[in-house]
Amino acid sequence: MIVALDGTVLVVAQPSMRRDLGASVAQVQWTSTAYLLTVAAFLVVAGRLGDRYGHSRLAITGVLGFAAASAGIALAPGVGWVIALRAAQGFFGALLQPATLALLRLAYPPDRLATPVAVRTSAIGVAAAAGPLLGGLLVAHLGWRAVFVVNVPLALAIAALILAVRVPEPERTGAGRPPLGSAALLVAAVAALVHALAGVPAYGWTAPPTLLGLGGAAGLGVLLVRWERRGAHPLVPAAVARSMPVMASMALLLTASGALSGALFTATFLLQDVRGLGAYDTALRLLPLTAVMVAGAPLAGFAQRRFGARRIALAGTGLVALGIAGLCTEALTGAGGAVLGAGFAAVMVTATGTVVGDAPPGYAGVIGGLKQTATNVGPAFGIALAAGAGAGAEAGAGATPALLALAALAAVGLLPASLLPGRPRGAAAGDLVGEDAGQRGERAPAAHGPADGERR
């Protein structure tokens, strides 16, 4: 929740920050890009560290480091310091995010995960909705630095809660040395990918910087797969890499989060540059989407328990595609946003519940890291797709092509959604919600099962 709040508040604060620090547009953009690069690159590594050293310990480190970086940004004398500290903030945010999912997996059995996952989704939605409103008030009355000061007491309160609530830690996995080679390759590959996607709005898809970045990311990805196959202690255990529910959920989260972020990017340009609304009024126009997402998350959790992840994910993915297409018509903007919010809530709850529920306790962190990576890379891809299709063009001429392209991206998610577990049929306590033993195929090892040295 604190990470979502920080990201949405910053968008409102950036113009004031630029004026106060005398920064260029490119430098201000890097206050967001530096964070995105770091958090996306280190999520899986952070999850693996949590599996090895304890998720509560990683969560405490992450939230306190996030608070310290926020305090440093509030005191920063120049934009260079802000960019560097935003990168540090991203690193500590990466430690925090997989740990929260892993702690949910440890605190709740798989057949009861839907409700806490829905509450988590609702909390993120509330933070995302409150961010622009809170940011506008803080910037207007106290200045942009107050946006980062707010993080400090919130982070300290979260740290106190983590210390107060004791969650049993699983038996630590990975007795051998940490997979440093795999970690370095993964960090480099994800950073190259996100950097290339972040540059698409400025350069386009066919420009040399974009092609070089995408090519570099692909090459590093190939090296990573080969390294993982040959390594004695892979970063992503074989049982996780071969899990169909996990991989399908990752693909679904990537397409859905990309489609949503791209649609919000397009709608923001349309509302501000074409219809002349301010940032605050734009945030108010987008509130119905967030309100439906917050209210729909608990309903999606209930529906998942009753009908299974596959049906709810298929319905949610269809609603996301229809909602984005509905944004093309001015008269349907409100309805389209509500449909989009309902669909995204269904997708997030079912896919996240599937990912976390399928994780053996010993590997909950690395799976949480993979999930968060998908939901961080997805928005970068969605915004790049929207920009490449014409979002932000003068007079809003590119809005409709961009929204149709994003609706098509959401529709691609129907394929991985169809691969999620079906309707629950009395699954055992140790099984994933909605799966029987036959559906799961190869069962994941228990927390004390095969060592990470299992070769693929």
Side-chain angles (χ1 to χ4, degrees):
M1 183 173 179
I2 189 175
V3 173
L5 181 65
D6 176 81
T8 53
V9 166
L10 178 65
V11 174
V12 180
Q14 283 177 328
S16 177
M17 177 194 299
R18 178 189 173 193
R19 292 189 296 269
D20 183 46
L21 298 178
S24 66
V25 173
Q27 288 174 321
V28 171
Q29 182 183 359
W30 266 100
T31 63
S32 295
T33 303
Y35 177 88
L36 180 62
L37 281 171
T38 311
V39 73
F42 283 98
L43 282 166
V44 178
V45 177
R48 197 71 167 98
L49 291 173
D51 290 334
R52 184 179 177 87
Y53 299 110
H55 299 295
S56 295
R57 184 179 301 175
L58 263 290
I60 290 290
T61 303
V63 75
L64 292 180
F66 197 91
S70 297
I73 294 172
L75 300 172
V79 71
W81 281 97
V82 175
I83 293 171
L85 288 168
R86 281 287 287 170
Q89 206 177 33
F91 173 77
F92 289 111
L95 295 183
L96 179 61
Q97 292 181 59
T100 60
L101 286 172
L103 290 173
L104 283 182
R105 174 63 180 87
L106 296 172
Y108 295 91
D111 59 346
R112 293 175 54 200
L113 269 173
T115 298
V117 167
V119 171
R120 180 182 184 271
T121 301
S122 295
I124 292 173
V126 169
L133 302 177
L134 177 62
L137 292 173
L138 289 173
V139 172
H141 296 285
L142 299 173
W144 67 268
R145 296 179 188 272
V147 165
F148 295 96
V149 174
V150 167
N151 287 335
V152 178
L154 287 176
L156 294 178
I158 293 171
L161 286 174
I162 295 172
L163 291 173
V165 178
R166 294 293 180 182
V167 177
E169 294 282 358
E171 182 177 334
R172 308 288 165 78
T173 60
R177 60 182 177 84
L180 299 179
S182 295
L185 286 171
L186 178 64
V187 168
V190 175
L193 175 61
V194 174
H195 186 272
L197 293 175
V200 169
Y203 302 113
W205 285 100
T206 59
T210 303
L211 295 177
L212 183 62
L214 294 177
L220 289 167
V222 171
L223 287 176
L224 173 63
V225 171
R226 293 174 63 87
W227 188 286
E228 285 277 274
R229 289 182 181 276
R230 296 177 179 179
H233 302 284
L235 182 66
V236 179
V240 174
R242 294 171 183 167
S243 171
M244 180 61 71
V246 170
M247 293 298 108
S249 296
M250 300 300 173
L252 178 57
L253 288 167
L254 191 147
T255 56
S257 62
L260 174 68
S261 296
L264 292 176
F265 175 83
T266 305
T268 299
F269 270 100
L270 188 62
L271 291 173
Q272 294 190 15
D273 291 355
V274 178
R275 300 182 189 172
L277 298 181
Y280 188 81
D281 289 332
T282 299
L284 290 178
R285 290 291 184 95
L286 297 176
L287 273 182
L289 183 154
T290 309
V292 172
M293 186 173 73
V294 172
L299 296 177
F302 172 79
Q304 179 185 354
R305 292 193 299 272
R306 182 174 178 84
F307 301 107
R310 184 187 305 145
R311 292 184 180 182
I312 304 306
L314 285 170
T317 303
L319 289 176
V320 170
L322 289 174
I324 293 175
L327 295 176
C328 295
T329 305
E330 182 176 356
L332 295 178
T333 300
V339 171
L340 174 56
F344 190 73
V347 169
M348 280 294 293
V349 170
T350 53
T352 303
T354 300
V355 167
V356 180
D358 196 62
Y363 299 137
V366 71
I367 288 184
L370 287 170
K371 181 264 175 188
Q372 293 298 129
T373 300
T375 54
N376 276 271
V377 173
F381 178 72
I383 292 172
L385 179 62
E394 291 186 7
T400 296
L403 290 171
L404 291 177
L406 293 163
L409 173 63
V412 170
L414 291 170
L415 177 59
S418 68
L419 301 176
L420 295 188
R423 186 172 181 174
R425 291 185 294 181
D431 292 335
L432 172 65
V433 177
E435 286 188 302
D436 56 27
Q439 286 176 296
R440 288 190 67 164
E442 177 181 295
R443 288 184 60 90
H448 54 278
D452 291 341
E454 173 186 342
R455 293 187 178 272
R456 302 184 184 182

